[in-house]
Amino acid sequence: QVQLVESGGGLVQAGGSLRLSCGVVGGRVTVFTMGWYRQAPGKQRELVASLTKEGATNYADSVKGRFTISRDVSENTVYLQMNSLKPEDTAVYYCNARFSSEYDFWGQGTQVTVSS
């Protein structure tokens, strides 16, 4: 069974930076499409950024140029570097590892709060 262990959330002022980490336990980060999602209160969960096993990235328009998804194969970890944070980035951020519809795993979520 694959487990995703997230860390790095917290409280930051607008314009600041945070880096989220997602450690993959029980699987190799290179076999999954890895993604970061977020869910703000009263809103649906949305895709923030994704990284395919081939290394292709995709970003939501709202974070392009500010967020960067990356992976460290030796650490079996995926990161989300978030710069120039805005209050509207406030949400619970979830890590996702997807191999197929049957093998689709989620982290526990980490809170990111951006104060104005």
Side-chain angles (χ1 to χ4, degrees):
Q1 181 71 6
V2 173
Q3 291 184 317
L4 306 180
V5 182
E6 301 165 5
S7 62
L11 174 64
V12 64
Q13 288 188 332
S17 298
L18 283 173
R19 189 179 76 159
L20 305 183
S21 300
C22 174
V24 181
V25 180
R28 300 301 306 168
V29 67
T30 50
V31 306
F32 297 105
T33 290
M34 300 298 300
W36 285 98
Y37 291 73
R38 68 186 180 188
Q39 187 166 19
K43 294 188 177 181
Q44 289 188 330
R45 189 174 297 189
E46 63 174 354
L47 176 66
V48 175
S50 64
L51 175 64
T52 70
K53 59 184 179 180
E54 294 85 6
T57 59
N58 183 54
Y59 297 93
D61 288 342
S62 59
V63 307
K64 282 180 181 177
R66 300 189 297 123
F67 290 11
T68 302
I69 188 171
S70 63
R71 67 187 177 196
D72 185 324
V73 176
S74 65
E75 295 292 329
N76 213 35
T77 297
V78 172
Y79 301 98
L80 184 68
Q81 178 67 43
M82 305 185 294
N83 299 327
S84 301
L85 282 161
K86 304 175 181 180
E88 50 263 44
D89 295 318
T90 295
V92 178
Y93 283 71
Y94 296 91
C95 180
N96 174 259
R98 180 177 175 87
F99 181 77
S100 67
S101 58
E102 181 178 0
Y103 297 99
D104 190 16
F105 306 98
W106 292 90
Q108 77 282 5
T110 185
Q111 177 70 47
V112 171
T113 303
V114 184
S115 63
S116 57

